Amino acid sequence: MRLLTVLTELGPRACGEFEGFYVDLHLADPTLPNSVKGILALGSEGVRRASAALPKGTEKYDPAEAVLLAPVPDPAKIVCLGLNYRDHAAESKMDVPTEPILFSKYATTLIGHNAPIILPPASTEVDYEAELVIVIGVGGRAIPRERALEHVGGYAVGHDVSARDWQLGKPGKQWMAGKTFDTFAPVGPAVVTADEVPDPQALGIRLRLNGKTMQDSNTNQLVFPVDEIVAYLSNIFTLEPGDLIFTGTPPGVGMARQPPVWLQPGDIVEVEIDGLGTLRNPVIRR
Ligand code: MN
C-alpha cells in the first residue's frame, strides 16, 4: 500500500491511498497510530491492519487539493550514501567506494510532494540528485544481511538537493553542510510498503528538469544494495522505525555537465522511480 502524510486542519494525518483518495487511517481504525512511522513500526501486521482499514475510511482527502508533507516528516535519522552508483562516481572523478560513504541531513530538510525547494542566498551552485529512499519499519541493531530486508518498511522517491560550493568547497572534504540546507530533502509523494516492491535493485530511476530528462538509470547500478546498506548501518547505530536512508544518485547531475547546470528560481524538478511514483517540486528563491 501507499502511505502518505497529509497536512489538514487537524494537523498531520497518516493516510493510505485508496480508490483515488487519501484515507485517514486513524479515523478509519482508531487502534492504528496516526503516523506513518507508527504504522511501519508494527511491521507487516501494521501494513495488514492499515490495508484492512482503508475501505472503512470516513475522512478522505482529494489528492488534487491535499497538502502533502514528507511521508515520514519527523524521522529520528536521515542517513545518506554518497557515490553509490558506479557511473556517478566516475563522472564525479572519484573512486568507486569500497565501503559506504556516509553523511546526514536533518529533519529540517524534509519537504513533501509539490512543496518548494528554497535556494539559499549562501549558495550559487545548487544541484539535483534523484535517489531511492529506504524507510525503516521494525527497528534493530547489528542486523545480519540475510535478515536486513525484514527491517525495511518501504521505499520512497527522494531528492538529495546539494549545494556543491558548500559540499566540495569547504575545508576537510566535509559534505554535510552542503547537503542539509532547509528544504534540501524532498521525499514522496508516498512510502510504498516493501511488500509491493519485490526487488528494490531493479527499479528505473529518472530525473527531469523542466521536462528534460537529466538522469536515467536503474537501481541495479547500486554499488551497495539495500540489504547490505541496512546491515552496515545497523552496526553503527540502532535503526529506528521511520529512519530514512538515501541510497545515492545515478549519473547526470548538474555539476558534471559542461557547462554546469544549477537549479534556478522557477525550475520544476521531477524524480520518478518505477512503481514508487513521481516526486515533483518547484524551485524558488526567498
Ligand atoms: Mn546523494
Side-chain angles (χ1 to χ4, degrees):
M1 73 179 302
R2 298 171 63 83
L3 295 166
L4 311 95
T5 299
V6 179
L7 184 60
T8 77
E9 293 169 348
L10 302 172
R13 306 296 303 179
C15 294
E17 202 171 319
F18 183 67
E19 295 184 343
F21 285 88
Y22 302 152
V23 174
D24 191 310
L25 288 166
H26 180 68
L27 292 176
D29 176 358
T31 69
L32 283 169
N34 177 33
S35 70
V36 171
K37 179 198 289 189
I39 292 165
L40 293 177
L42 301 171
S44 54
E45 176 66 10
V47 175
R48 191 195 61 74
R49 285 169 52 199
S51 297
L54 286 175
K56 295 181 272 185
T58 53
E59 199 68 46
K60 301 174 186 183
Y61 309 108
D62 182 350
E65 295 169 12
V67 175
L68 291 179
L69 300 179
V72 179
D74 56 348
K77 288 184 279 302
I78 306 172
V79 186
C80 309
L81 276 77
L83 302 175
N84 199 30
Y85 284 73
R86 288 171 202 285
D87 295 353
H88 174 59
E91 76 171 353
S92 303
K93 299 185 172 61
M94 298 191 201
D95 295 333
V96 173
T98 53
E99 283 194 44
I101 294 172
L102 304 176
F103 60 92
S104 334
K105 290 175 180 275
Y106 297 123
T108 40
T109 57
L110 287 172
I111 57 173
H113 180 62
N114 282 332
I117 297 164
I118 301 173
L119 298 174
S123 173
T124 57
E125 298 182 354
V126 178
D127 204 347
Y128 52 82
E129 293 190 354
E131 305 210 6
L132 171 70
V133 176
I134 303 166
V135 186
I136 296 297
V138 178
R141 63 164 290 109
I143 300 165
R145 184 172 176 181
E146 58 271 20
R147 306 207 66 165
L149 293 182
E150 297 170 25
H151 294 265
V152 175
Y155 300 90
V157 180
H159 184 178
D160 174 16
V161 185
S162 303
R164 302 297 187 200
D165 40 3
W166 284 73
Q167 178 194 350
L168 303 170
K170 298 295 179 185
K173 297 187 177 178
Q174 53 175 326
W175 285 19
M176 191 265 279
K179 298 285 195 172
T180 198
F181 283 91
D182 288 357
T183 73
F184 272 24
V187 178
V191 173
V192 178
T193 53
D195 56 301
E196 295 190 6
V197 185
D199 185 355
Q201 270 88 226
L203 306 174
I205 177 169
R206 292 165 288 278
L207 182 142
R208 290 185 293 273
L209 176 60
N210 303 321
K212 182 183 175 193
T213 299
M214 306 297 274
Q215 295 182 282
D216 188 356
S217 187
N218 191 290
T219 58
N220 63 15
Q221 297 298 311
L222 286 170
V223 178
F224 301 104
V226 170
D227 58 351
E228 190 174 355
I229 293 170
V230 169
Y232 184 90
L233 295 178
S234 76
N235 286 316
I236 307 172
F237 37 68
T238 301
L239 288 171
E240 299 168 282
D243 282 354
L244 303 180
I245 304 167
F246 282 66
T247 58
T249 201
V253 298
M255 72 168 175
R257 292 171 180 270
Q258 289 300 336
V261 174
W262 308 123
L263 295 181
Q264 304 295 332
D267 283 350
I268 303 288
V269 188
E270 294 169 289
V271 184
E272 178 181 75
I273 300 180
D274 293 344
L276 302 186
T278 301
L279 168 67
R280 173 193 178 278
N281 297 94
V283 179
I284 66 170
R285 192 182 295 283
R286 194 175 272 165

